[in-house]
Amino acid sequence: MQNVYLGIVLAPLFGAIIAGLFGRKIGRAGAHWVTIIGVAVSFLLSLVVLQHHVLDGAEPYNGTVYTWMMIEGIRLEVGFLVDNLTAVMITTVSFVSLMVHIYTIGYMHDDDGYQRFFSYIALFTFSMLMLVMANNFLQLFFGWEAVGLVSYLLIGFWYKRESAIFAGLKAFLVNRVGDFGFLLGIAAVLMAFNSLDYADVFAAAPLLAKVTVQVLPGVDWSLMTLICILLFIGAMGKSAQVPLHVWLPDSMEGPTPISALIHAATMVTAGIFMVARMSPLFELSETALSFVLVIGSITALFMGFLGIVQNDIKRVIAYSTLSQLGYMAVALGVSAYSAAIFHLMTHAFFKALLFLGAGSVIIALHHEQDIRKMGGLWKYMPITWFTFLLGTLALIGTPGFAGFYSKDSILEAVHYSRIAGAGFAYVAVMLGVFVTSFYSFRLYFIVFHGQERMDHHTREHLHETPAVVTVPLILLAIPSVIIGAMTIEPLLFGNGFGGSIFVAAEHDVLAHLKEHFHGAISFALHGLTGLPFLLVLAGFGSAFYLYMVKPELPDLIQRRFARLYDIMDRKYLFDEIYQSVFMRGSRNLGTALWKYADAGLIDGLLVNGTARLVGWFAAVTRHLQTGFLYTYAFAMIIGLLILLTWFVTR
């Protein structure tokens, strides 16, 4: 099977290299064929791995592919850990990536950077697969940084736009903040365990559960708490948790296919996966779990609020991603790691569907993204409309749809949890259900129903997008509907994840949920009578009334609550604060260092000051050079007397 594992990661890399280095020679068709075939091979091999490990119950594979070096007994190597968790992740990543690759043919058809884009998205897929399949922290960090680098290239793909340049740089810098914490966490692991191998670290972790360290003098910290919080800071950057979330909405500056790939299967899911993989460490620190829980709760609720005031079709979906990532973090915080990965998987399908559906609308409207210039599109784009509706129903958690099973599992898990912060989290995620339903149907009604607000020329040329765009929508819509019901029992209550996720008995909230689980159909029927579904209906009803029955009301509400709207429209002032404090502060610090440290101290005092001192000393001493012999003789006598006096009086 080792060759299969190698094929999964190397096939997209091969396609990326060919399209990137030889794009001009193979042409546009050659570029998309070589990358699509590479990702398709990766997906088919992932299905083989899924069959082998999940369905057939094979033992996990943990092996070294290549040893890079050994330093004082510490092995730095490339290796794979392939278990049930890995199998689920690589199948999800490769399938969504394949759909995005096919879709890109239609979306980027007229773009000058066609070959370059295909190279980047294939490289993105390779980076994510390397991260997911890693069996050690070194390879994890390689994949971690690689997805960050490629996301920078893709977000700033249209590099002639100032906004794209800024967005790419913003994503890169914000992620560097999180990655610094992540790197410190890995360093702490290396310091404590003297190994970077997952198996070694997980095996030794219980022995160090009670160990404390002093980060600050006189203050003892649990070693596990320190490691886990530092690792999660990395996840806060990658998975866009408050306050390191600011880069994700701006990533919409990249082409729509990469928005779908980043938000659905790569990059943002890396942090969630990492915490689930590190469950043997996080289970040893309730403090770290509470930290994850509170951060996730804040993200789930307050980022959802911002989706209500957005008028860019992609940004509404982007804030939906932020909110759903918060739900996943909440699940991690209550030790429902399986539920987090389950929601990650279902979310990947319907979120990719929503983004690609938005892209289909953008294509049809000649790259118009303002929802205020849309309306009534269901008549012109029936496939896009219907698949978008299915994605919306999955996102809000409609009973029977994929998102329902994963989201309701998280809600129930939080309800059963007794960890610190669980009460606040439960309120936040419940309110988030209403908010999600409201902004999702707001988007749906404004775009596909109601008054047609596009200009006459656009309306005349409106039609459904080509099959290369709509077929991926249909293929993503199918799992968005059925995958939840098909997989909830094995993944949450069976042996779907095998031994790849560890949960302490006192934290096993899914065990309580299992007691009340009687099959997918019963779960869905029970959901029809639960509070979450009532909140979904409330969100739907509110959106329908405001945007279909009384469309003039939203403007009145906006004017009435202008100050609140302004704060939300400015994203809680996060960008202003960061630019004022950190960006401007950094510039001021740099200016001060240049003016006072470089120009004043180094150049002025040390370099020029030394030169002036030497000049002054030369100017003084030259007066002693008279050219008369008696002067030098007198100086010698004086010097001799001083020496004799010193020796005599010692």
Side-chain angles (χ1 to χ4, degrees):
M1 289 293 289
Q2 186 172 340
N3 290 333
V4 173
Y5 306 144
L6 282 170
I8 290 172
V9 295
L10 293 181
L13 178 62
F14 176 78
I17 292 172
I18 298 299
L21 298 181
F22 307 102
R24 291 185 179 180
K25 293 184 178 181
I26 64 176
R28 297 165 75 89
H32 71 237
W33 274 114
V34 73
T35 51
I36 289 173
I37 290 172
V39 177
V41 168
S42 183
F43 171 61
L44 293 173
L45 293 177
S46 297
L47 291 178
V48 173
V49 172
L50 189 72
Q51 171 75 32
H52 183 64
H53 286 280
V54 178
L55 301 181
D56 296 342
E59 289 294 315
Y61 172 85
N62 186 9
T64 300
V65 177
Y66 174 72
T67 300
W68 181 29
M69 66 173 72
M70 183 177 290
I71 304 174
E72 296 184 355
I74 301 169
R75 299 176 67 87
L76 305 179
E77 54 193 22
V78 176
F80 294 146
L81 172 59
V82 184
D83 53 15
N84 293 22
L85 175 60
T86 308
V88 171
M89 285 295 300
I90 60 176
T91 306
T92 304
V93 170
S94 56
F95 176 73
V96 173
S97 179
L98 179 59
M99 295 299 103
V100 170
H101 274 72
I102 296 171
Y103 178 93
T104 300
I105 297 174
Y107 193 89
M108 301 293 288
H109 183 264
D110 299 321
D111 198 280
D112 294 335
Y114 191 83
Q115 295 99 311
R116 177 165 58 93
F117 189 81
F118 272 98
S119 175
Y120 286 172
I121 57 176
L123 188 61
F124 207 8
T125 306
F126 159 76
S127 303
M128 188 65 187
L129 291 171
M130 284 291 287
L131 185 156
V132 169
M133 296 179 69
N135 73 342
N136 61 85
F137 285 91
L138 179 68
Q139 187 175 326
L140 175 69
F141 189 70
F142 165 78
W144 196 267
E145 292 300 310
V147 294
L149 172 63
V150 183
S151 70
Y152 167 74
L153 297 174
L154 284 164
I155 293 169
F157 182 79
W158 286 319
Y159 54 83
K160 293 183 180 179
R161 295 183 184 176
E162 287 291 332
S163 57
I165 297 171
F166 179 81
L169 186 60
K170 186 177 182 179
F172 190 79
L173 292 176
V174 172
N175 272 277
R176 295 291 72 72
V177 176
D179 292 354
F180 180 66
F182 189 61
L183 189 59
L184 289 177
I186 294 175
V189 168
L190 182 59
M191 176 192 72
F193 297 95
N194 201 41
S195 175
L196 292 173
D197 187 83
Y198 289 167
D200 295 341
V201 173
F202 296 162
L207 303 175
L208 301 179
K210 304 294 184 182
V211 174
T212 60
V213 293
Q214 287 194 359
V215 180
L216 299 172
V219 181
D220 290 331
W221 273 65
S222 165
L223 175 64
M224 286 301 134
T225 298
L226 178 65
I227 289 173
C228 292
I229 288 178
L230 287 172
L231 291 176
F232 185 68
I233 289 172
M236 288 168 64
K238 278 289 179 291
S239 294
Q241 301 293 302
V242 174
L244 300 181
H245 66 284
V246 294
W247 68 271
L248 192 61
D250 287 1
S251 68
M252 299 301 98
E253 290 295 335
T256 299
I258 194 52
S259 300
L261 199 54
I262 287 178
H263 287 246
T266 58
M267 185 97 171
V268 296
T269 59
I272 305 300
F273 165 79
M274 183 273 295
V275 176
R277 176 63 80 195
M278 300 300 147
S279 58
L281 301 182
F282 278 82
E283 285 300 288
L284 298 173
S285 173
E286 285 201 359
T287 303
L289 289 174
S290 291
F291 180 75
V292 174
L293 178 61
V294 172
I295 293 293
S297 307
I298 294 170
T299 306
L301 179 60
F302 290 96
M303 293 302 104
F305 283 140
L306 298 187
I308 298 173
V309 301
Q310 301 301 313
N311 293 312
D312 183 301
I313 187 171
K314 288 170 63 177
R315 284 184 179 264
V316 177
I317 305 172
Y319 279 104
S320 153
T321 301
L322 280 171
S323 182
Q324 298 307 304
L325 288 168
Y327 276 88
M328 297 175 206
V330 166
L332 296 171
V334 297
S335 297
Y337 306 99
S338 299
I341 300 298
F342 184 36
H343 194 51
L344 184 156
M345 179 191 69
T346 61
H347 175 264
F349 298 123
F350 61 73
K351 186 51 58 73
L353 171 60
L354 289 171
F355 265 114
L356 298 188
S360 179
V361 170
I362 292 168
I363 295 171
L365 295 177
H366 308 293
H367 292 276
E368 178 60 66
Q369 294 183 200
D370 193 334
I371 61 176
R372 294 169 295 186
K373 298 179 182 179
M374 302 177 187
L377 294 183
W378 72 274
K379 295 179 291 187
Y380 306 96
M381 307 176 69
I383 298 175
T384 300
W385 160 70
F386 187 64
T387 54
F388 196 94
L389 175 60
L390 294 178
T392 300
L393 293 173
L395 170 63
I396 66 174
T398 307
F401 286 75
F404 161 76
Y405 291 100
S406 56
K407 186 183 283 187
D408 255 45
S409 300
I410 294 173
L411 297 174
E412 291 295 324
V414 178
H415 176 67
Y416 287 119
S417 179
R418 294 296 176 264
I419 197 169
F424 167 73
Y426 187 67
V427 173
V429 293
M430 275 297 183
L431 287 174
V433 172
F434 169 81
V435 174
T436 302
S437 178
F438 180 79
Y439 68 64
S440 297
F441 276 110
R442 170 183 177 265
L443 177 66
Y444 170 74
F445 288 136
I446 292 176
V447 173
F448 293 102
H449 295 277
Q451 181 185 352
E452 298 177 7
R453 294 174 293 276
M454 67 286 292
D455 59 66
H456 180 70
H457 175 75
T458 303
R459 188 183 294 110
E460 281 189 337
H461 293 83
L462 263 178
H463 57 82
E464 186 62 86
T465 45
V468 73
V469 173
T470 56
V471 168
L473 297 181
I474 296 168
L475 293 176
L476 284 166
I478 295 169
S480 297
V481 177
I482 66 172
I483 197 70
M486 292 174 58
T487 58
I488 181 172
E489 188 165 1
L491 290 183
L492 294 193
F493 311 117
N495 199 37
F497 287 116
S500 54
I501 290 173
F502 172 77
V503 182
E506 62 271 21
H507 297 156
D508 195 359
V509 291
L510 293 179
H512 296 286
L513 183 57
K514 186 179 181 180
E515 296 174 1
H516 304 282
F517 182 79
H518 304 290
I521 297 175
S522 175
F523 193 76
L525 292 174
H526 178 72
L528 292 171
T529 61
L531 178 60
F533 185 58
L534 295 177
L535 292 170
V536 166
L537 291 178
F540 166 80
S542 302
F544 183 81
Y545 182 77
L546 288 173
Y547 296 98
M548 296 297 292
V549 180
K550 296 285 186 179
E552 68 278 5
L553 275 182
D555 289 335
L556 294 174
I557 295 171
Q558 179 182 332
R559 288 195 293 270
R560 179 70 181 273
F561 300 96
R563 182 167 295 181
L564 177 61
Y565 179 87
D566 183 61
I567 292 173
M568 294 175 68
D569 189 49
R570 294 164 65 184
K571 297 170 280 189
Y572 304 128
L573 309 180
F574 271 103
D575 284 341
E576 285 90 336
I577 293 169
Y578 286 169
Q579 290 187 34
S580 299
V581 177
F582 295 106
M583 294 179 64
R584 193 170 299 161
S586 298
R587 290 184 61 182
N588 291 339
L589 178 62
T591 302
L593 289 173
W594 160 71
K595 186 176 291 186
Y596 300 108
D598 190 12
L601 180 62
I602 298 173
D603 286 345
L605 184 61
L606 296 180
V607 178
N608 297 332
T610 302
R612 285 192 293 269
L613 179 63
V614 171
W616 173 82
F617 184 75
V620 172
T621 55
R622 73 181 178 182
H623 294 293
L624 302 175
Q625 303 293 330
T626 62
F628 297 109
L629 185 62
Y630 62 82
T631 303
Y632 302 141
F634 183 73
M636 292 173 62
I637 294 169
I638 296 297
L640 185 61
L641 288 172
I642 292 171
L643 286 173
L644 287 172
T645 304
W646 185 73
F647 278 111
V648 170
T649 57
R650 286 178 62 184

